[in-house]
Coordinates of all heavy atoms in Angstrom, one line a residue:
M27 N 16.1 -4.4 -5.6 CA 16.8 -3.1 -5.6 C 17.4 -2.8 -4.3 O 18.5 -2.4 -4.2 CB 15.7 -2.1 -6.0 CG 16.2 -0.7 -6.1 SD 17.3 -0.6 -7.5 CE 17.6 1.1 -7.6
G28 N 16.7 -3.1 -3.2 CA 17.3 -2.8 -1.9 C 18.5 -3.7 -1.6 O 19.5 -3.2 -0.9
W29 N 18.5 -4.9 -2.1 CA 19.6 -5.8 -1.9 C 20.9 -5.3 -2.6 O 22.0 -5.3 -2.1 CB 19.3 -7.2 -2.3 CG 20.4 -8.2 -2.0 CD1 21.2 -8.7 -2.9 CD2 20.8 -8.7 -0.8 NE1 22.1 -9.5 -2.3 CE2 21.9 -9.5 -1.0 CE3 20.3 -8.5 0.5 CZ2 22.5 -10.2 0.1 CZ3 21.0 -9.1 1.5 CH2 22.0 -10.0 1.3
L30 N 20.7 -4.7 -3.8 CA 21.8 -4.2 -4.5 C 22.4 -3.0 -3.8 O 23.6 -2.8 -3.8 CB 21.3 -3.8 -6.0 CG 21.0 -5.0 -6.9 CD1 20.4 -4.4 -8.2 CD2 22.2 -5.8 -7.1
V31 N 21.5 -2.1 -3.3 CA 22.0 -1.0 -2.5 C 22.8 -1.4 -1.3 O 23.8 -0.9 -1.0 CB 20.8 0.0 -2.2 CG1 21.3 1.1 -1.2 CG2 20.2 0.5 -3.4
R32 N 22.3 -2.4 -0.6 CA 23.0 -2.9 0.6 C 24.3 -3.5 0.2 O 25.3 -3.2 0.9 CB 22.1 -4.0 1.3 CG 22.8 -4.6 2.5 CD 21.8 -5.6 3.2 NE 22.5 -6.3 4.2 CZ 22.7 -5.9 5.4 NH1 22.3 -4.7 5.8 NH2 23.3 -6.7 6.3
R33 N 24.4 -4.3 -0.9 CA 25.7 -4.8 -1.3 C 26.7 -3.7 -1.7 O 27.9 -3.8 -1.4 CB 25.5 -5.8 -2.5 CG 24.9 -7.1 -2.1 CD 24.9 -8.1 -3.2 NE 26.3 -8.3 -3.6 CZ 26.6 -8.9 -4.8 NH1 25.7 -9.3 -5.6 NH2 27.9 -9.1 -5.1
A34 N 26.2 -2.7 -2.4 CA 27.1 -1.6 -2.8 C 27.6 -0.9 -1.5 O 28.8 -0.5 -1.5 CB 26.4 -0.7 -3.7
T35 N 26.7 -0.7 -0.6 CA 27.1 0.0 0.6 C 28.1 -0.8 1.4 O 29.1 -0.2 1.9 CB 25.9 0.3 1.5 OG1 24.9 1.1 0.8 CG2 26.2 1.1 2.8
M36 N 27.9 -2.1 1.6 CA 28.8 -2.9 2.3 C 30.2 -3.0 1.6 O 31.2 -3.2 2.2 CB 28.2 -4.3 2.6 CG 27.1 -4.2 3.6 SD 26.3 -5.8 3.9 CE 27.7 -6.7 4.6
A37 N 30.1 -3.0 0.3 CA 31.4 -3.1 -0.5 C 32.3 -1.9 -0.3 O 33.5 -2.0 -0.3 CB 31.1 -3.3 -2.0
D38 N 31.7 -0.7 0.0 CA 32.5 0.5 0.2 C 33.1 0.6 1.6 O 34.0 1.3 1.9 CB 31.6 1.7 0.0 CG 31.3 1.9 -1.5 OD1 32.1 1.3 -2.3 OD2 30.4 2.6 -1.8
L39 N 32.5 -0.2 2.6 CA 33.0 -0.2 3.9 C 34.1 -1.3 4.2 O 34.2 -2.2 3.4 CB 31.8 -0.4 4.9 CG 30.8 0.7 4.9 CD1 29.6 0.3 5.8 CD2 31.3 2.0 5.3
A40 N 34.8 -1.1 5.2 CA 35.8 -2.1 5.6 C 35.1 -3.4 6.0 O 34.0 -3.4 6.4 CB 36.7 -1.6 6.8
A41 N 35.8 -4.5 5.8 CA 35.3 -5.8 6.1 C 34.9 -5.9 7.6 O 35.6 -5.4 8.4 CB 36.2 -6.9 5.7
G42 N 33.8 -6.6 7.8 CA 33.4 -6.8 9.2 C 32.4 -5.8 9.8 O 32.0 -5.9 10.9
I43 N 32.1 -4.7 9.1 CA 31.2 -3.7 9.6 C 29.8 -4.1 9.1 O 29.6 -4.2 7.9 CB 31.6 -2.3 9.1 CG1 32.9 -1.9 9.7 CG2 30.5 -1.3 9.6 CD1 33.4 -0.5 9.2
A44 N 28.9 -4.3 10.0 CA 27.5 -4.6 9.7 C 26.7 -3.3 9.3 O 26.8 -2.4 10.1 CB 26.8 -5.4 10.8
V45 N 26.0 -3.4 8.2 CA 25.3 -2.2 7.8 C 23.8 -2.6 7.9 O 23.3 -3.5 7.2 CB 25.6 -1.8 6.4 CG1 24.8 -0.6 5.9 CG2 27.1 -1.5 6.2
P46 N 23.0 -2.0 8.8 CA 21.6 -2.3 9.0 C 20.8 -1.8 7.8 O 21.1 -0.7 7.3 CB 21.2 -1.7 10.3 CG 22.2 -0.6 10.5 CD 23.5 -1.0 9.8
I47 N 19.7 -2.5 7.5 CA 18.8 -2.0 6.5 C 17.7 -1.3 7.3 O 17.1 -1.8 8.2 CB 18.2 -3.1 5.7 CG1 19.3 -3.8 4.9 CG2 17.1 -2.6 4.8 CD1 18.8 -5.0 4.0
T48 N 17.5 0.0 6.9 CA 16.4 0.8 7.6 C 15.2 0.7 6.7 O 15.2 1.0 5.5 CB 16.9 2.2 7.7 OG1 18.1 2.3 8.4 CG2 15.8 3.0 8.4
I49 N 14.1 0.3 7.4 CA 12.8 0.2 6.7 C 11.9 1.3 7.2 O 11.7 1.4 8.4 CB 12.1 -1.2 7.0 CG1 13.0 -2.3 6.4 CG2 10.7 -1.2 6.3 CD1 12.5 -3.7 6.8
P50 N 11.4 2.2 6.3 CA 10.6 3.3 6.7 C 9.2 2.9 7.1 O 8.2 2.9 6.3 CB 10.6 4.2 5.5 CG 10.8 3.3 4.4 CD 11.6 2.2 4.9
W51 N 9.0 2.4 8.4 CA 7.7 1.8 8.8 C 6.6 2.8 8.8 O 5.5 2.5 8.4 CB 7.9 1.1 10.2 CG 8.7 -0.1 10.1 CD1 9.9 -0.3 10.6 CD2 8.4 -1.3 9.4 NE1 10.4 -1.5 10.4 CE2 9.5 -2.2 9.6 CE3 7.3 -1.8 8.7 CZ2 9.5 -3.5 9.1 CZ3 7.3 -3.1 8.2 CH2 8.4 -3.9 8.4
L52 N 6.9 4.0 9.3 CA 5.8 5.0 9.4 C 5.2 5.4 8.0 O 4.0 5.4 7.9 CB 6.3 6.2 10.2 CG 5.3 7.2 10.6 CD1 4.2 6.5 11.5 CD2 5.9 8.4 11.4
P53 N 6.0 5.7 7.0 CA 5.5 6.0 5.7 C 4.7 4.8 5.1 O 3.7 5.0 4.5 CB 6.7 6.4 4.9 CG 7.7 6.9 5.8 CD 7.5 6.1 7.1
L54 N 5.3 3.6 5.3 CA 4.6 2.4 4.8 C 3.2 2.2 5.5 O 2.2 1.9 4.9 CB 5.4 1.2 5.0 CG 6.7 1.1 4.1 CD1 7.5 -0.1 4.5 CD2 6.3 1.0 2.7
L55 N 3.2 2.5 6.8 CA 1.9 2.4 7.5 C 0.9 3.4 7.0 O -0.3 3.2 6.8 CB 2.2 2.6 9.0 CG 0.9 2.5 9.9 CD1 0.3 1.1 9.9 CD2 1.3 2.9 11.3
G56 N 1.4 4.6 6.8 CA 0.5 5.7 6.2 C 0.0 5.3 4.8 O -1.2 5.6 4.6
I57 N 0.8 4.7 4.0 CA 0.3 4.3 2.7 C -0.7 3.2 2.8 O -1.8 3.2 2.2 CB 1.5 3.8 1.8 CG1 2.4 5.0 1.5 CG2 1.0 3.1 0.6 CD1 3.7 4.6 0.9
G58 N -0.5 2.3 3.7 CA -1.5 1.2 4.0 C -2.8 1.7 4.5 O -3.9 1.3 4.0
V59 N -2.7 2.6 5.4 CA -4.0 3.2 6.0 C -4.7 4.0 4.9 O -6.0 3.9 4.8 CB -3.7 4.1 7.2 CG1 -4.9 4.9 7.6 CG2 -3.2 3.3 8.4
T60 N -4.0 4.7 4.1 CA -4.6 5.5 3.0 C -5.3 4.5 2.0 O -6.5 4.7 1.6 CB -3.6 6.3 2.2 OG1 -3.0 7.2 3.2 CG2 -4.2 7.1 1.1
C61 N -4.7 3.4 1.7 CA -5.3 2.4 0.8 C -6.5 1.8 1.3 O -7.5 1.7 0.7 CB -4.3 1.3 0.4 SG -2.9 1.8 -0.6
L62 N -6.5 1.5 2.6 CA -7.7 0.9 3.3 C -8.8 1.9 3.3 O -10.0 1.6 3.1 CB -7.3 0.5 4.7 CG -6.5 -0.8 4.8 CD1 -6.1 -1.0 6.3 CD2 -7.2 -2.0 4.3
L63 N -8.5 3.2 3.6 CA -9.6 4.2 3.6 C -10.2 4.5 2.2 O -11.4 4.6 2.1 CB -9.0 5.5 4.2 CG -8.7 5.5 5.7 CD1 -8.0 6.9 6.1 CD2 -10.0 5.3 6.5
L64 N -9.3 4.5 1.2 CA -9.8 4.6 -0.2 C -10.7 3.4 -0.6 O -11.7 3.6 -1.2 CB -8.7 4.8 -1.1 CG -8.0 6.2 -1.1 CD1 -6.7 6.2 -2.0 CD2 -8.9 7.3 -1.5
T65 N -10.3 2.2 -0.2 CA -11.1 1.0 -0.5 C -12.4 1.1 0.2 O -13.5 0.8 -0.4 CB -10.3 -0.2 -0.1 OG1 -9.1 -0.3 -0.7 CG2 -11.1 -1.5 -0.4
A66 N -12.5 1.5 1.5 CA -13.7 1.6 2.2 C -14.6 2.7 1.6 O -15.8 2.5 1.5 CB -13.4 1.9 3.7
A67 N -14.0 3.8 1.2 CA -14.8 4.9 0.6 C -15.4 4.4 -0.7 O -16.6 4.7 -1.0 CB -14.0 6.1 0.4
A68 N -14.6 3.7 -1.6 CA -15.1 3.2 -2.8 C -16.3 2.2 -2.6 O -17.3 2.2 -3.3 CB -14.0 2.6 -3.6
A69 N -16.1 1.3 -1.6 CA -17.1 0.3 -1.4 C -18.4 1.0 -0.9 O -19.5 0.6 -1.3 CB -16.6 -0.7 -0.3
T70 N -18.3 2.0 0.0 CA -19.4 2.7 0.5 C -20.1 3.5 -0.6 O -21.4 3.4 -0.7 CB -19.0 3.7 1.6 OG1 -18.3 3.0 2.6 CG2 -20.2 4.4 2.2
A71 N -19.4 4.1 -1.5 CA -20.0 4.8 -2.6 C -20.7 3.8 -3.6 O -21.8 4.1 -4.1 CB -18.9 5.6 -3.4
G72 N -20.1 2.7 -3.8 CA -20.7 1.6 -4.6 C -22.0 1.1 -4.1 O -23.0 0.9 -4.8
I73 N -22.1 0.9 -2.7 CA -23.3 0.5 -2.1 C -24.4 1.5 -2.2 O -25.5 1.2 -2.4 CB -23.0 0.1 -0.6 CG1 -22.1 -1.2 -0.6 CG2 -24.3 -0.1 0.1 CD1 -21.6 -1.5 0.8
R74 N -24.0 2.8 -2.0 CA -25.0 3.8 -2.0 C -25.6 4.1 -3.3 O -26.7 4.6 -3.4 CB -24.4 5.1 -1.4 CG -24.1 4.9 0.1 CD -23.6 6.2 0.6 NE -24.6 7.3 0.4 CZ -25.0 8.1 1.4 NH1 -24.6 8.0 2.6 NH2 -25.9 9.0 1.1
T75 N -24.8 3.9 -4.4 CA -25.3 4.2 -5.7 C -26.0 3.0 -6.4 O -26.5 3.2 -7.5 CB -24.2 4.8 -6.6 OG1 -23.2 3.8 -6.7 CG2 -23.6 6.0 -6.0
R76 N -26.0 1.9 -5.8 CA -26.5 0.7 -6.5 C -28.1 0.7 -6.4 O -28.6 1.1 -5.3 CB -26.0 -0.6 -5.8 CG -26.5 -1.8 -6.5 CD -25.9 -3.1 -5.9 NE -24.5 -3.0 -6.0 CZ -23.6 -3.7 -5.3 NH1 -24.1 -4.6 -4.4 NH2 -22.3 -3.6 -5.5
K77 N -28.7 0.4 -7.5 CA -30.2 0.4 -7.5 C -30.7 -0.9 -6.9 O -30.1 -1.9 -7.0 CB -30.7 0.5 -8.9 CG -30.5 1.9 -9.5 CD -31.2 1.9 -10.9 CE -31.0 3.3 -11.5 NZ -31.6 3.3 -12.8
P78 N -31.9 -0.8 -6.2 CA -32.5 -2.1 -5.7 C -32.8 -3.0 -6.9 O -33.0 -2.5 -8.0 CB -33.7 -1.6 -5.0 CG -33.5 -0.2 -4.8 CD -32.6 0.3 -5.8
P79 N -32.9 -4.3 -6.7 CA -33.1 -5.2 -7.8 C -34.4 -5.0 -8.6 O -34.5 -5.1 -9.8 CB -33.2 -6.6 -7.1 CG -32.4 -6.4 -5.9 CD -32.6 -5.0 -5.5
H80 N -35.5 -4.5 -7.9 CA -36.8 -4.3 -8.5 C -36.7 -3.0 -9.4 O -37.6 -2.8 -10.3 CB -37.9 -4.2 -7.5 CG -37.9 -3.0 -6.7 ND1 -37.1 -2.9 -5.5 CD2 -38.6 -1.8 -6.7 CE1 -37.2 -1.7 -5.0 NE2 -38.1 -1.1 -5.7
L81 N -35.7 -2.2 -9.3 CA -35.6 -1.0 -10.1 C -34.5 -1.1 -11.1 O -34.2 -0.2 -11.9 CB -35.3 0.3 -9.2 CG -36.4 0.7 -8.3 CD1 -35.9 1.9 -7.4 CD2 -37.6 1.1 -9.0
A82 N -33.8 -2.2 -11.1 CA -32.6 -2.4 -12.0 C -33.0 -2.4 -13.5 O -32.2 -1.9 -14.3 CB -31.9 -3.7 -11.7
D83 N -34.2 -2.9 -13.9 CA -34.6 -2.9 -15.3 C -35.2 -1.6 -15.7 O -35.4 -1.3 -16.9 CB -35.6 -4.0 -15.5 CG -35.0 -5.4 -15.3 OD1 -33.7 -5.5 -15.5 OD2 -35.7 -6.3 -14.9
D84 N -35.5 -0.7 -14.8 CA -36.1 0.6 -15.1 C -35.1 1.5 -15.6 O -34.1 1.8 -14.9 CB -36.8 1.1 -13.8 CG -37.6 2.3 -14.1 OD1 -37.9 2.6 -15.3 OD2 -38.0 3.0 -13.2
P85 N -35.2 2.0 -16.8 CA -34.1 2.9 -17.4 C -34.1 4.3 -16.7 O -33.1 5.0 -16.8 CB -34.5 3.1 -18.9 CG -36.0 2.7 -18.9 CD -36.3 1.8 -17.8
A86 N -35.1 4.7 -16.0 CA -35.2 6.0 -15.4 C -34.4 6.0 -14.1 O -34.1 5.6 -13.2 CB -36.6 6.5 -15.1

């Protein structure tokens, strides 16, 4: 998708003008950090709610 946008932008400009692709690093970094935090929270919740092996067969 990004490549198509770049080609369309360059086609509208005069020949020889370089059009840089801007990558939104800060929002991407924020998304990555959020994913890592959610993964860590889910892992922590899973560890805390797991029953010990000797209680796993106990229905209570």
Side-chain angles (χ1 to χ4, degrees):
M27 182 70 172
W29 184 254
L30 291 174
V31 171
R32 180 177 170 82
R33 283 189 61 195
T35 303
M36 289 180 65
D38 287 341
L39 296 174
I43 297 177
V45 180
I47 294 178
T48 304
I49 300 173
W51 291 111
L52 192 57
L54 289 174
L55 180 65
I57 291 169
V59 169
T60 301
C61 289
L62 288 174
L63 289 175
L64 287 173
T65 302
T70 303
I73 290 171
R74 293 184 57 128
T75 58
R76 185 177 299 165
K77 290 184 179 181
H80 69 280
L81 296 176
D83 294 334
D84 189 16

